[in-house]
Amino acid sequence: MSASIIDGAMIAADVRKSVAAAASALKAKHGAAPELAVLLVGEDPASQVYVRSKVKQTEEAGMRSHHLTLPADATQAQVIEKVRALSADKNVDGILVQLPLPKHIDEQAVLAALDPDKDVDGLTEVSAGRLVLGKPGLRPCTPAGSVILAKRTTPDLAGAHCVVVGRSILVGKPAALLFLAENCTVTLAHSKTKDLPGLCRSADILVAAIGRPEMIKGDWVKPGGMVIDVGINRVPASTPGKTKLVGDVAYAEAKEVAGAITPVPGGVGPMTIACLLRNTVLAACARRGWEVPAALG
Ligand code: NDP
């Protein structure tokens, strides 16, 4: 039997709707909607597309957005100064520094200048520490979105064996910690893991965050298990000269074995910005001492 498809586009739209309801409730109660500042350094076309999309979706959710740009040749000191200014600006609730930064700028040094209470990407050392310690804080968006997708399918994940393949700071490590916080038994796999297919087959929840097109085959999937495919890989399409997006999981094979699976595109991808907007509301409430609106769930 074919797996049920976890519709990330629909679930992300639900999250955005709940964010819009929460933003509207906050505006009615406190006279101000949360504000997200997005800083883009340089003119990388892909980053410009991402930033435009973030700004548009922030405004569609009824929040204020504040879009700043610096030229590609801005110095590290100038970028840090801008991040410090946004951190000190009492009207700004969330700050997103669009990555990657130009090569001459040390991303860690820039992130270190960011107020962790405004770190809506969840990338600062303080945010990472809060996640490890299980303290309240802003969680990285893509892993948080992956957990929301899993919980829409199985609300109580306790006791499930979750295998996360990939141990990056951005996705794999925080995903492992977030599934652990849901009381899963977590195994974190990587390029040196032995018998990866066998390990994957033992996963009730298999999270693929590798960056290798369709590496996880259908017979690596536990029959009836859940597959969350974080991978986004551009590969040649069957039409010459065209490309298409595929995940890290061989979707056509895996969906014949899994109980539930996220597609690529339309799975984890749309959840990232939705969780960014959600984090902006959470950041505004935490720093301004506002109660989190019930609409946010
Ligand atoms: P990284 O390249 O930073 O990390 C990849 C991880 O996969 C590493 O930990 C690496 O292990 C592991 N890996 C690589 N090859 C193998 C292998 N043969 N067997 C087992 N493990 C392996 O990637 P990211 O975490 O940044 O991204 C992962 C994927 O997620 C990419 O496709 C990316 O495009 C996508 N992505 C999607 C997002 C979204 O949906 N919005 C957001 C961010 C990323 P090791 O550490 O041992 O080298």
Side-chain angles (χ1 to χ4, degrees), residues 79-81 83-85 87 95 107-116 124:
V79 177
I80 288 177
E81 190 189 308
V83 171
R84 285 218 176 99
S87 293
I95 304 169
E107 288 181 356
Q108 289 310 315
V110 171
L111 291 174
L114 203 159
D115 177 351
T124 59

PDB file of all heavy atoms in Angstrom, residues 79-81 83-85 87 95 107-116 124:
ATOM      1  N   VAL A  79      28.827  45.121   8.853  1.00  0.00           N
ATOM      2  CA  VAL A  79      27.718  44.176   9.014  1.00  0.00           C
ATOM      3  C   VAL A  79      27.422  43.991  10.513  1.00  0.00           C
ATOM      4  O   VAL A  79      26.270  44.025  10.951  1.00  0.00           O
ATOM      5  CB  VAL A  79      28.052  42.813   8.344  1.00  0.00           C
ATOM      6  CG1 VAL A  79      26.927  41.813   8.574  1.00  0.00           C
ATOM      7  CG2 VAL A  79      28.290  43.007   6.851  1.00  0.00           C
ATOM      8  N   ILE A  80      28.486  43.852  11.293  1.00  0.00           N
ATOM      9  CA  ILE A  80      28.311  43.671  12.738  1.00  0.00           C
ATOM     10  C   ILE A  80      27.636  44.898  13.348  1.00  0.00           C
ATOM     11  O   ILE A  80      26.738  44.772  14.195  1.00  0.00           O
ATOM     12  CB  ILE A  80      29.668  43.352  13.410  1.00  0.00           C
ATOM     13  CG1 ILE A  80      30.090  41.926  13.021  1.00  0.00           C
ATOM     14  CG2 ILE A  80      29.607  43.512  14.927  1.00  0.00           C
ATOM     15  CD1 ILE A  80      31.437  41.496  13.543  1.00  0.00           C
ATOM     16  N   GLU A  81      28.046  46.075  12.887  1.00  0.00           N
ATOM     17  CA  GLU A  81      27.457  47.310  13.408  1.00  0.00           C
ATOM     18  C   GLU A  81      25.945  47.344  13.125  1.00  0.00           C
ATOM     19  O   GLU A  81      25.143  47.692  13.991  1.00  0.00           O
ATOM     20  CB  GLU A  81      28.144  48.498  12.738  1.00  0.00           C
ATOM     21  CG  GLU A  81      27.812  49.839  13.351  1.00  0.00           C
ATOM     22  CD  GLU A  81      28.361  50.959  12.464  1.00  0.00           C
ATOM     23  OE1 GLU A  81      29.564  50.907  12.133  1.00  0.00           O
ATOM     24  OE2 GLU A  81      27.570  51.839  12.094  1.00  0.00           O
ATOM     25  N   VAL A  83      23.958  44.720  12.658  1.00  0.00           N
ATOM     26  CA  VAL A  83      23.298  43.701  13.489  1.00  0.00           C
ATOM     27  C   VAL A  83      23.168  44.200  14.930  1.00  0.00           C
ATOM     28  O   VAL A  83      22.136  44.000  15.580  1.00  0.00           O
ATOM     29  CB  VAL A  83      24.073  42.355  13.416  1.00  0.00           C
ATOM     30  CG1 VAL A  83      23.545  41.353  14.433  1.00  0.00           C
ATOM     31  CG2 VAL A  83      23.980  41.778  12.011  1.00  0.00           C
ATOM     32  N   ARG A  84      24.207  44.892  15.404  1.00  0.00           N
ATOM     33  CA  ARG A  84      24.149  45.460  16.772  1.00  0.00           C
ATOM     34  C   ARG A  84      23.040  46.496  16.870  1.00  0.00           C
ATOM     35  O   ARG A  84      22.303  46.541  17.851  1.00  0.00           O
ATOM     36  CB  ARG A  84      25.476  46.130  17.132  1.00  0.00           C
ATOM     37  CG  ARG A  84      26.547  45.138  17.435  1.00  0.00           C
ATOM     38  CD  ARG A  84      27.448  45.602  18.607  1.00  0.00           C
ATOM     39  NE  ARG A  84      28.397  44.538  18.899  1.00  0.00           N
ATOM     40  CZ  ARG A  84      29.656  44.521  18.463  1.00  0.00           C
ATOM     41  NH1 ARG A  84      30.134  45.531  17.758  1.00  0.00           N
ATOM     42  NH2 ARG A  84      30.442  43.512  18.743  1.00  0.00           N
ATOM     43  N   ALA A  85      22.915  47.325  15.816  1.00  0.00           N
ATOM     44  CA  ALA A  85      21.898  48.385  15.829  1.00  0.00           C
ATOM     45  C   ALA A  85      20.493  47.761  15.849  1.00  0.00           C
ATOM     46  O   ALA A  85      19.615  48.205  16.599  1.00  0.00           O
ATOM     47  CB  ALA A  85      22.066  49.299  14.623  1.00  0.00           C
ATOM     48  N   SER A  87      19.782  44.811  16.975  1.00  0.00           N
ATOM     49  CA  SER A  87      19.624  44.154  18.287  1.00  0.00           C
ATOM     50  C   SER A  87      19.194  45.169  19.342  1.00  0.00           C
ATOM     51  O   SER A  87      18.427  44.851  20.250  1.00  0.00           O
ATOM     52  CB  SER A  87      20.940  43.488  18.712  1.00  0.00           C
ATOM     53  OG  SER A  87      21.228  42.412  17.860  1.00  0.00           O
ATOM     54  N   ILE A  95      15.408  39.175  14.101  1.00  0.00           N
ATOM     55  CA  ILE A  95      16.430  39.570  13.123  1.00  0.00           C
ATOM     56  C   ILE A  95      16.856  38.327  12.364  1.00  0.00           C
ATOM     57  O   ILE A  95      17.186  37.302  12.965  1.00  0.00           O
ATOM     58  CB  ILE A  95      17.683  40.160  13.809  1.00  0.00           C
ATOM     59  CG1 ILE A  95      17.304  41.343  14.708  1.00  0.00           C
ATOM     60  CG2 ILE A  95      18.720  40.584  12.771  1.00  0.00           C
ATOM     61  CD1 ILE A  95      18.441  41.794  15.621  1.00  0.00           C
ATOM     62  N   GLU A 107      30.748  34.416   9.440  1.00  0.00           N
ATOM     63  CA  GLU A 107      29.333  34.326   9.846  1.00  0.00           C
ATOM     64  C   GLU A 107      29.186  34.223  11.365  1.00  0.00           C
ATOM     65  O   GLU A 107      28.282  34.816  11.951  1.00  0.00           O
ATOM     66  CB  GLU A 107      28.663  33.112   9.181  1.00  0.00           C
ATOM     67  CG  GLU A 107      28.436  33.343   7.702  1.00  0.00           C
ATOM     68  CD  GLU A 107      27.748  32.190   6.979  1.00  0.00           C
ATOM     69  OE1 GLU A 107      27.498  31.130   7.598  1.00  0.00           O
ATOM     70  OE2 GLU A 107      27.479  32.356   5.784  1.00  0.00           O
ATOM     71  N   GLN A 108      30.089  33.469  11.975  1.00  0.00           N
ATOM     72  CA  GLN A 108      29.979  33.289  13.430  1.00  0.00           C
ATOM     73  C   GLN A 108      30.158  34.619  14.163  1.00  0.00           C
ATOM     74  O   GLN A 108      29.473  34.891  15.153  1.00  0.00           O
ATOM     75  CB  GLN A 108      31.007  32.266  13.939  1.00  0.00           C
ATOM     76  CG  GLN A 108      30.692  30.823  13.536  1.00  0.00           C
ATOM     77  CD  GLN A 108      29.255  30.429  13.866  1.00  0.00           C
ATOM     78  OE1 GLN A 108      28.748  30.703  14.956  1.00  0.00           O
ATOM     79  NE2 GLN A 108      28.567  29.800  12.926  1.00  0.00           N
ATOM     80  N   ALA A 109      31.069  35.440  13.666  1.00  0.00           N
ATOM     81  CA  ALA A 109      31.296  36.741  14.307  1.00  0.00           C
ATOM     82  C   ALA A 109      30.052  37.608  14.171  1.00  0.00           C
ATOM     83  O   ALA A 109      29.690  38.348  15.104  1.00  0.00           O
ATOM     84  CB  ALA A 109      32.512  37.429  13.671  1.00  0.00           C
ATOM     85  N   VAL A 110      29.381  37.520  13.031  1.00  0.00           N
ATOM     86  CA  VAL A 110      28.163  38.310  12.824  1.00  0.00           C
ATOM     87  C   VAL A 110      27.048  37.788  13.736  1.00  0.00           C
ATOM     88  O   VAL A 110      26.344  38.559  14.405  1.00  0.00           O
ATOM     89  CB  VAL A 110      27.738  38.267  11.331  1.00  0.00           C
ATOM     90  CG1 VAL A 110      26.372  38.896  11.133  1.00  0.00           C
ATOM     91  CG2 VAL A 110      28.786  38.975  10.474  1.00  0.00           C
ATOM     92  N   LEU A 111      26.896  36.456  13.775  1.00  0.00           N
ATOM     93  CA  LEU A 111      25.832  35.884  14.621  1.00  0.00           C
ATOM     94  C   LEU A 111      26.068  36.213  16.096  1.00  0.00           C
ATOM     95  O   LEU A 111      25.122  36.380  16.868  1.00  0.00           O
ATOM     96  CB  LEU A 111      25.741  34.363  14.419  1.00  0.00           C
ATOM     97  CG  LEU A 111      25.207  33.923  13.043  1.00  0.00           C
ATOM     98  CD1 LEU A 111      25.286  32.408  12.892  1.00  0.00           C
ATOM     99  CD2 LEU A 111      23.769  34.395  12.836  1.00  0.00           C
ATOM    100  N   ALA A 112      27.354  36.336  16.478  1.00  0.00           N
ATOM    101  CA  ALA A 112      27.666  36.638  17.880  1.00  0.00           C
ATOM    102  C   ALA A 112      27.174  38.027  18.277  1.00  0.00           C
ATOM    103  O   ALA A 112      26.991  38.319  19.459  1.00  0.00           O
ATOM    104  CB  ALA A 112      29.176  36.525  18.111  1.00  0.00           C
ATOM    105  N   ALA A 113      26.950  38.902  17.275  1.00  0.00           N
ATOM    106  CA  ALA A 113      26.489  40.264  17.572  1.00  0.00           C
ATOM    107  C   ALA A 113      24.966  40.348  17.670  1.00  0.00           C
ATOM    108  O   ALA A 113      24.411  41.395  17.978  1.00  0.00           O
ATOM    109  CB  ALA A 113      26.987  41.208  16.482  1.00  0.00           C
ATOM    110  N   LEU A 114      24.315  39.201  17.402  1.00  0.00           N
ATOM    111  CA  LEU A 114      22.842  39.202  17.328  1.00  0.00           C
ATOM    112  C   LEU A 114      22.239  38.896  18.707  1.00  0.00           C
ATOM    113  O   LEU A 114      22.649  37.934  19.355  1.00  0.00           O
ATOM    114  CB  LEU A 114      22.456  38.132  16.304  1.00  0.00           C
ATOM    115  CG  LEU A 114      21.131  38.188  15.596  1.00  0.00           C
ATOM    116  CD1 LEU A 114      21.201  37.354  14.312  1.00  0.00           C
ATOM    117  CD2 LEU A 114      20.023  37.690  16.451  1.00  0.00           C
ATOM    118  N   ASP A 115      21.302  39.706  19.128  1.00  0.00           N
ATOM    119  CA  ASP A 115      20.624  39.454  20.407  1.00  0.00           C
ATOM    120  C   ASP A 115      19.909  38.090  20.322  1.00  0.00           C
ATOM    121  O   ASP A 115      19.017  37.911  19.495  1.00  0.00           O
ATOM    122  CB  ASP A 115      19.595  40.579  20.635  1.00  0.00           C
ATOM    123  CG  ASP A 115      18.784  40.372  21.914  1.00  0.00           C
ATOM    124  OD1 ASP A 115      18.886  39.286  22.519  1.00  0.00           O
ATOM    125  OD2 ASP A 115      18.044  41.301  22.282  1.00  0.00           O
ATOM    126  N   PRO A 116      20.283  37.117  21.155  1.00  0.00           N
ATOM    127  CA  PRO A 116      19.688  35.780  21.050  1.00  0.00           C
ATOM    128  C   PRO A 116      18.164  35.798  21.217  1.00  0.00           C
ATOM    129  O   PRO A 116      17.484  34.929  20.683  1.00  0.00           O
ATOM    130  CB  PRO A 116      20.333  34.995  22.203  1.00  0.00           C
ATOM    131  CG  PRO A 116      21.497  35.789  22.625  1.00  0.00           C
ATOM    132  CD  PRO A 116      21.288  37.207  22.220  1.00  0.00           C
ATOM    133  N   THR A 124      22.262  31.309  16.838  1.00  0.00           N
ATOM    134  CA  THR A 124      23.340  31.800  17.705  1.00  0.00           C
ATOM    135  C   THR A 124      23.762  30.707  18.697  1.00  0.00           C
ATOM    136  O   THR A 124      23.028  29.738  18.932  1.00  0.00           O
ATOM    137  CB  THR A 124      22.889  33.037  18.505  1.00  0.00           C
ATOM    138  OG1 THR A 124      21.764  32.660  19.294  1.00  0.00           O
ATOM    139  CG2 THR A 124      22.499  34.187  17.599  1.00  0.00           C
TER     140      THR A 124
END
